[in-house]
C-alpha cells in the first residue's frame, strides 16, 4: 500500500504589533500583506485613526484580544477599488472570543466589496453617536461597495444604527446569534438613484431595535427573513417613530417572510409607501404556517396613490395559520387594522395543505376596529366578526366538478392517507411537466416551503397527503396561477384509511391489493404487527415501504419460484427507494426466492429477526431492466437460512452488510456479481463484520461476471465453504476483478477446497491478509501465471504481526506474493512469521526481497523475515526496522519515536502533520503531534514530529517503518526511539544521523 505526501504552502500570517496606533499606515508599509497573507491581531489594540482593510484581509482572534477603534466618524472600512464579490473580498474575520469596540462607523464595502465574519464567542460593540454598522456602503461610488456580514454563534453584539445596503447591495446573516440596535434599523437606505438588492436573514437568532425600522427605501428590493427567530421593535418618537415600514421607497419592493418566528412592535406596521402616501413602494408580508407570533400596535396596508401592500397568510402542513394581534390603543391609526382589501389567505404550496375548516387570523383591542377586509381569498371567505377576522373554507367542495381551486372533506381516524389524481386537459406533455415542476416548487410570493411529492402519469398528476386529525379534516389546493392553458378536468380522491396496519386481522391476505387500496407509500409505509399473515401470490413492495415488526409477527409468502420482490419501476437510491424493514423478533418465510431490487432499486433492513427462505436470496436483480434494479441489504443481529444461493449483484450493482453477530447459512453457493451482459461495469460488495458469519455449501465466486468487480471484506467476520469438493475463485470470468480482504481477527474457512486467484488470462483475483490474528484454511492455492494476469496474494503486517495460511495440498504462487505493512509504522513481537504451512508442494515463491521483508521457503513452508540489511545502523534509508529488548519486565511499556525530516519548506510541518493525522498512514494506534523542538542542523528547513503510543507491550519488540510513499521532497534525516517504564535508555535505541550525503541529495527547495 503506497502513500503519497504532497505538502502545500501555508499562507503566512503577518502579526500586527500591539504598539501600532495607526493600522492603515502600518498595513501600507508591510511587504507581502494580502488576502493569502493576512494581518493578525492578538492582544490589546487601540487605533486612533480610521482603519482601512484594503486589498488584503485581516484576522482578530483570541479570547484576550480586543481592538478599539476611535478614528472619528469612519472607524473601520473594509473594501477598496478592485475588490469583488465575484473574486476576492477584502475581509475581516473576528474569531475565538475576540472583540471589536468602536466609537464610529463600521463600513463593510466602501469603494469595493467587503466581507466581515464574526464567529463563536466573538462580538462587536458600537457605542458612538455615529456608530453605524453599514453592510454595503457605496455612497461615493454607486455599485462598487457591496458588503456581506455573517454572525455565527455570536452573542452580545450591540450597535447604534444598523444599515444593510447604502447605495449598494448588502447581505446580513445571523445564525444562533443576537444583536441589540439602540437607534434605527434600515434595509436599503437612501438608494434613490439605482436599484439594489439587500437582505437580512435571522436563523435561530434575535434582533432588537429601539428606534426607526424600515425595510426597503428607494427603488430597491429588500428581504427580511425570520426563520425560528425573534425580532422586537420598540419604536421611537418623532415624525416616523410611530410606524414601521415594509416598502416605503418609490418603485421598490420589501418582503418579510416569517417561519416559526416572533415579530413584535408597539408601533403601526405599514406595508407599502410612506405615511404621506407620496412614494410608490410595495410591501409584502408572508406569514407561513401556524408557528408564528405577530403583534403590532397598529396595522396599515397601503392601497392607493401607487403605494400598496399584500398580507399573505400561507398555510402549510403544520396544520393551519398563525394569528396577528393588534394590541395598540385607539388613536388615529394606532390600534386599528386597515387591510385595504389586500388580506390574502392561501397555501404555502399548491397542494396537500391540511387544516381545520375555520381560523381566526386577526384580533384587535376592545376600543379598536378592523377595516377593508376583502370578502374572499382563493378557497376561503373572509369575514369581520366583532374584533376578529375569520377565514373559512368556501366555494364548492370537490366531487367531480372541473375547477382550479377547491377542497375536500375527509372523515377518518387519527391518521388518514389521501391519494389524489387530477385529470388535466388543455395542454400537451410539456405543459403538464412544467405544471408538475411548478407544483413541486410550491412557491408563493417568493416563499418556498412546498414538500409534497408529485408524479405525472400521462395527463394525470398524482400525489398523496396525510391528515393528522381525529374525526374530520380538510385538504385544499390552488392551481389557478400555476400554468396558463392547462385545466383541471377531473379530480379523484380516495381515502385510504389508517395507514398503520398493526390492527389488521392476521390471516390469508392479498398483500399487493391490500397495500394499494390502503394507500401505502414511502412516507407512510404498510405495517404488520402481531400474528401470521399468509399470501399465496407474489409479494411485491413497489412504490412504497413495508415494516414487519415485533415478536410473534410473521409474513408467509407461499408463491412458488418467485415469492417476494422489492423494487418497482421508478424507485431509486437517489430519491425514494422501495424498502422492507423487518425488526424486533419478526419472521419472513418464503417458498421461493427473495429479490431485493427488481424493476427498480430495493432495500432490505433486518434487525433482531429471522428469515427462512425457500430458495435464493438475490440482492440487486436487474436481468430484465439494465441498471434499474440495484439492491442493498443490511442484516443486524439476525439469522437467514436458505436452500438456495446467495447472490450479491445479478445484472445490477449491490451492497450487503452483515453486522453484530448476524448468521447467514445457504445450501447453495456465494456469487458476488453473478452475471453481467451489459456494457456498463457492475460492482458487488459484501461486508462481514462484528462477529458475523456467512456459511455456504458450494462455490464461492467473488467477481464472477464479465467486466464486473466483486469485493468481500472480512472484518472480525467468518466466511465458510462447507463442501470439501467446492471451490473459491476470485476473478472468474474474462475481465472480472475479485478481491477478498481478511483482517481484524477474521476466519476464512476453505478447508479441503481449492482457492484460485485469477481464473482466466484477463481476470484478476486479489487476496489480502491483514494482521496476525486471522485464521485461514484451504486445500490448494493457485495464482494464475499467464501474461496480463495481475492477481496477487498480499500479506500486510500490523501491530499484531502477519497471519499464516494452513494448506493441505499443492500451492502454486507463480511469483505473485507481496509482503508489506498495513500502516506506515508497525511494532511487532517477532521478526519472522510463517505465511503458508502444511502444503504438499510449494512452487513459484518470489526470489527477490519485498523492502523490509525477505521470503524463505523450506519443507513446503513459506516464511517472511525482516530483512537484516535494513536494520538501521548507519545507512541512509527511508524504510527500515530496529530491534528493542525490554529486560525490566515492566508492564506496560510504551515506545515513542521522534522523527526529523528534511526537504520541508518553512511552515510546511503543520500541513505534513495534519496529513498524517488525516490518513491511515500510522495506523489506528498512532497519534501524531507536533514536536516544538527543531533539528539543530538547520532551523529553517529541518523539522521534527513526535509519534507517540506506538505500542503498549513488553518483551522483545520489532519496530518497522516504511517512508517510500512520502514523496521525493521529504526525507527521513534521523529517528530516535524512546521507551518508558523500563525500556532501555534512548541512547541504546537510537537510529543514528543518516549522514550528510543524504542531506546533500535534496537539501531543500527554494520558495
Amino acid at each position: 500500500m503506497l502513500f503519497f505526501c504532497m505538502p502545500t504552502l501555508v499562507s503566512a500570517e503577518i502579526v500586527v504589533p500591539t504598539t501600532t496606533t495607526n493600522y492603515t499606515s502600518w498595513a501600507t508599509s508591510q511587504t507581502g500583506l494580502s488576502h493569502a497573507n493576512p494581518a493578525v491581531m492578538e492582544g490589546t489594540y487601540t487605533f486612533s485613526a480610521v482603519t482601512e482593510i484594503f486589498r488584503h484581509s485581516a484576522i482578530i482572534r483570541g479570547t484576550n484580544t480586543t481592538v478599539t477603534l476611535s478614528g472619528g466618524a469612519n472607524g473601520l472600512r473594509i473594501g477598496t477599488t478592485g475588490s469583488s464579490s465575484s473574486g476576492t473580498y477584502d475581509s475581516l474575520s473576528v474569531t475565538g472570543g475576540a472583540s471589536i469596540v468602536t466609537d464610529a462607523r463600521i463600513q463593510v464595502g466602501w469603494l469595493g466589496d467587503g466581507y466581515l465574519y464574526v464567529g463563536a464567542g466573538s462580538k462587536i460593540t458600537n457605542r458612538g453617536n455615529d456608530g453605524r454598522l453599514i453592510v454595503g456602503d457605496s455612497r461615493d461610488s454607486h455599485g462598487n461597495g457591496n458588503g456581506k456580514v455573517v454572525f455565527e454563534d455570536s452573542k452580545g453584539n450591540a450597535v447604534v444604527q444598523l444599515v444593510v445596503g447604502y447605495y449598494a447591495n448588502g447581505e446580513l446573516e445571523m445564525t444562533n446569534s443576537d444583536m441589540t440596535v439602540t437607534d434605527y434599523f434600515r434595509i436599503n437606505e437612501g438608494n434613490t438613484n439605482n436599484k439594489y438588492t439587500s437582505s437580512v436573514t435571522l436563523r435561530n437568532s434575535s434582533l432588537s431595535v429601539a428606534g426607526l425600522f424600515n425595510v426597503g427605501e428607494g427603488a430597491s428590493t429588500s428581504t427580511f427573513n425570520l426563520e425560528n427567530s425573534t425580532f422586537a421593535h420598540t419604536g421611537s418618537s418623532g415624525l416616523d417613530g410611530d410606524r414601521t415600514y415594509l416598502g416605503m421607497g418609490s418603485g421598490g419592493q420589501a418582503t418579510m417572510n416569517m417561519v416559526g418566528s416572533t415579530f413584535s412592535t408597539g408601533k403601526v406596521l405599514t406595508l407599502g409607501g410612506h405615511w404621506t402616501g407620496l412614494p410608490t413602494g410595495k410591501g409584502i408580508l408572508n406569514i407561513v404556517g401556524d408557528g408564528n407570533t405577530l403583534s403590532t400596535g397598529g396595522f396599515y396596508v397601503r392601497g392607493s396613490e401607487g403605494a400598496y401592500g399584500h398580507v399573505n397568510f400561507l398555510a402549510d402542513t403544520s396544520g393551519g395559520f398563525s394569528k396577528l394581534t393588534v394590541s395598540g390603543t385607539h388613536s388615529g391609526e394606532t390600534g386599528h387594522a386597515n387591510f385595504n382589501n389586500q388580506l390574502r389567505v392561501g397555501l404555502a404550496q399548491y397542494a396537500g395543505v391540511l387544516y381545520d375548516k375555520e381560523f381566526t387570523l386577526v384580533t384587535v383591542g376592545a376600543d379598536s376596529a378592523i377595516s377593508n377586509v376583502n370578502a374572499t381569498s382563493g378557497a376561503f371567505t373572509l369575514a369581520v366578526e366583532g374584533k376578529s377576522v375569520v377565514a373559512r373554507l368556501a366555494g364548492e367542495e370537490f366531487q367531480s366538478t372541473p375547477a382550479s381551486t377547491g377542497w375536500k372533506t375527509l372523515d377518518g381516524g387519527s391518521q388518514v392517507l389521501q391519494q389524489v389524481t387530477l385529470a388535466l386537459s388543455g395542454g400537451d406533455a410539456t405543459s403538464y411537466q412544467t405544471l408538475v415542476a411548478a407544483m413541486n416548487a410550491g412557491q408563493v410570493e417568493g416563499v418556498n416551503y412546498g414538500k409534497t411529492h408529485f408524479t405525472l402519469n400521462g395527463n394525470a398528476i398524482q400525489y398523496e397527503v396525510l391528515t393528522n386529525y381525529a374525526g374530520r379534516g380538510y385538504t385544499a389546493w390552488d392551481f389557478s396561477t400555476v400554468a396558463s392553458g392547462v385545466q383541471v378536468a377531473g379530480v379523484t380522491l380516495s381515502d385510504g384509511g389508517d395507514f398503520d396496519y398493526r390492527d389488521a386481522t392476521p390471516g390469508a391476505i392479498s398483500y399487493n391489493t391490500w397495500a394499494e387500496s390502503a394507500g401505502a407509500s414511502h412516507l407512510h409505509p404498510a405495517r404488520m404487527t402481531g400474528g401470521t399473515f399468509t399470501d399465496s401470490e407474489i409479494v411485491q413492495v413497489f412504490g412504497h415501504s413495508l415494516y414487519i415488526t415485533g415478536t410473534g409477527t410473521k409474513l408467509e409468502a407461499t408463491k412458488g419460484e418467485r415469492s417476494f420482490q422489492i423494487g418497482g419501476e421508478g424507485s431509486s437510491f437517489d430519491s425514494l427507494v422501495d424498502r422492507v424493514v423487518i425488526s424486533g423478533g419478526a419472521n419472513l418465510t418464503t417458498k421461493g426466492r427473495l429479490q431485493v431490487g427488481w424493476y427498480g432499486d430495493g432495500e432490505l433492513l433486518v434487525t433482531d429477526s429471522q428469515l427462512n427462505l425457500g430458495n435464493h436470496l438475490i440482492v440487486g436483480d436487474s436481468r430484465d431492466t439494465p441498471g434499474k434494479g440495484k439492491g442493498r441489504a443490511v442484516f443486524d443481529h439476525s439469522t437467514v437460512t436458505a436452500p438456495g444461493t446467495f447472490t450479491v449483484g445479478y445484472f445490477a450493482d449491490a451492497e450487503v452488510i452483515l453486522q453484530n453477530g448476524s448468521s447467514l447459512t445457504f445450501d447453495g453457493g456465494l456469487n458476488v456479481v453473478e452475471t453481467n451482459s451489459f456494457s456498463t461495469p457492475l460492482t458487488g460488495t459484501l461486508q462481514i463484520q462484528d462477529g458475523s458469519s456467512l456459511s455456504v455449501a458450494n462455490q464461492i465466486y467473488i467477481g464472477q461476471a464479465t467486466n464486473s468487480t466483486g469485493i468481500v471484506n472480512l472484518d472480525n467476520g467468518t466466511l465458510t465453504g462447507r463442501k470439501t469438493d467446492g471451490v473459491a475463485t476470485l476473478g472468474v470470468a474474462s475481465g472480472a476483478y475479485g478481491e477478498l480482504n481478511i483482517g481484524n481477527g477474521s476466519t476464512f474457512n476453505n478447508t479441503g477446497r481449492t482457492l484460485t486467484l485469477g481464473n482466466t488470462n484477463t481476470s484478476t483475483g486479489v487476496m489480502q491478509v491483514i494482521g496476525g490474528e486471522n485464521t485461514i484454511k484451504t486445500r490448494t492455492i493457485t495464482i494464475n501465471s499467464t501474461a496480463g494476469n495481475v492477481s496477487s496474494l498480499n500479506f500486510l503486517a500490523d501491530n499484531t504481526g502477519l497471519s499464516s495460511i494452513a494448506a493441505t495440498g499443492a500451492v502454486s504462487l507463480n511469483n505473485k506474493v507481496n509482503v508489506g505493512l498495513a500502516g506506515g509504522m508497525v511494532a511487532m513481537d517477532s521478526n519472522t512469521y510463517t505465511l503458508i504451512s502444511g502444503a504438499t508442494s510449494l512452487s513459484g515463491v518470489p526470489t527477490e526481497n519485498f523492502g523490509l521483508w525477505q521470503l524463505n521457503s523450506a519443507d513446503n513452508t513459506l516464511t517472511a523475515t525482516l530483512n537484516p540489511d535494513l536494520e538501521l545502523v548507519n545507512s541512509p534509508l527511508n524504510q527500515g526496522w530496529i530491534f528493542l529488548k525490554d529486560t525490566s519486565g515492566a508492564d506496560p511499556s510504551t515506545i515513542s519515536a521522534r522523527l526529523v525530516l528534511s526537504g520541508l519548506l518553512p511552515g510546511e510541518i503543520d500541513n505534513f502533520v495534519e496529513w498524517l493525522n488525516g490518513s491511515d498512514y500510522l495506523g489506528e494506534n498512532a497519534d501524531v503531534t507536533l514536536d516544538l523542538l527543531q533539528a539543530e542542523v538547520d532551523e529553517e528547513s529541518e523539522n521534527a514530529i513526535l509519534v507517540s503510543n506506538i505500542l503498549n507491550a513488553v518483551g522483545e519488540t520489532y519496530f518497522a517503518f516504511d517512508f517510500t510513499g512520502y514523496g521525493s521532497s521529504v526525507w527521513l534525516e534521523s529517528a530516535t526511539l524512546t521507551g518508558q517504564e523500563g525500556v532501555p535508555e534512548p541512547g541504546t535505541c537510537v537510529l543514528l544521523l543518516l549522514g550528510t550525503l543524504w542531506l546533500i541529495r535534496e537539501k531543500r527547495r527554494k520558495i
Side-chain angles (χ1 to χ4, degrees), residues 258-432:
M258 294 183 61
V259 181
S261 297
T262 297
F263 178 94
S264 62
T265 177
K267 304 300 181 179
V268 178
L269 179 59
T270 301
L271 273 59
H274 194 266
W275 71 277
T276 63
L278 295 178
T280 57
K282 180 180 180 181
I284 298 172
L285 173 60
N286 293 314
I287 308 169
V288 183
D290 65 353
N292 302 285
T293 300
L294 180 65
S295 60
T296 70
F299 200 90
Y300 188 80
V301 180
R302 292 287 178 186
S304 61
E305 299 174 347
Y308 64 98
H310 294 160
V311 184
N312 301 316
F313 288 87
L314 303 175
D316 62 11
T317 53
S318 62
F321 301 98
S322 300
K323 183 171 65 174
L324 163 64
T325 300
V326 181
S327 56
T329 302
H330 173 55
S331 174
E333 292 171 355
T334 303
H336 280 262
N338 185 340
F339 294 96
N340 274 310
N341 295 319
Q342 296 299 323
L343 175 59
R344 300 177 177 182
V345 181
L347 311 180
Q349 58 196 61
Y350 291 113
V353 174
L354 313 158
Y355 37 67
D356 294 324
K357 191 174 183 180
E358 180 177 304
F359 291 91
T360 299
L361 300 180
V362 182
T363 62
V364 298
D367 61 345
S368 300
I370 301 172
S371 60
N372 296 320
V373 174
N374 38 302
T376 61
S377 180
F380 290 85
T381 59
L382 304 180
V384 178
E385 297 183 356
K387 302 296 181 180
S388 301
V389 177
V390 178
R392 293 184 178 90
L393 282 169
E396 183 177 4
E397 181 177 4
F398 267 133
Q399 300 297 332
S400 59
T401 305
S404 58
T405 62
W407 54 279
K408 173 70 176 177
T409 302
L410 295 176
D411 293 291
S414 60
Q415 290 180 313
V416 178
L417 187 71
Q418 175 182 238
Q419 290 183 315
V420 184
T421 300
L422 306 174
L424 305 175
S425 65
D428 55 18
T430 301
S431 62
Y432 297 153

Side-chain angles (χ1 to χ4, degrees), residues 88 252 264 303 344 352 572 630 752 969:
T88 302
S264 62
R344 300 177 177 182
S572 169
K630 295 190 292 293
S969 62

Side-chain angles (χ1 to χ4, degrees), residues 113-124:
D113 299 339
Y115 177 77
L116 171 64
Y117 175 83
V118 183
S122 296
K123 64 180 181 180
I124 62 173

Side-chain angles (χ1 to χ4, degrees), residues 719-733:
L719 175 59
T720 300
R722 298 197 303 273
K723 289 188 177 179
T724 56
D725 59 348
V727 300
T729 305
L730 280 59
V732 181

Side-chain angles (χ1 to χ4, degrees), residues 725-795:
D725 59 348
V727 300
T729 305
L730 280 59
V732 181
S734 175
Y737 176 87
E739 180 179 312
L740 174 61
N741 299 303
I742 306 169
N744 194 22
S746 293
T747 297
F748 176 45
N749 192 345
N750 200 48
T751 303
R753 298 153 57 98
T754 63
L755 173 61
T756 302
L757 308 185
N759 188 54
T760 71
N761 293 352
T762 61
S763 64
T764 300
V766 176
M767 179 168 158
Q768 297 200 117
V769 183
I770 305 168
E773 298 180 335
N774 305 293
T775 301
I776 304 168
K777 299 178 180 179
T778 187
R779 184 173 80 239
T780 66
I781 303 174
T782 300
I783 305 178
N784 196 311
S785 62
T786 56
N789 187 292
V790 293
S791 301
S792 63
L793 173 59
N794 304 324
F795 294 87

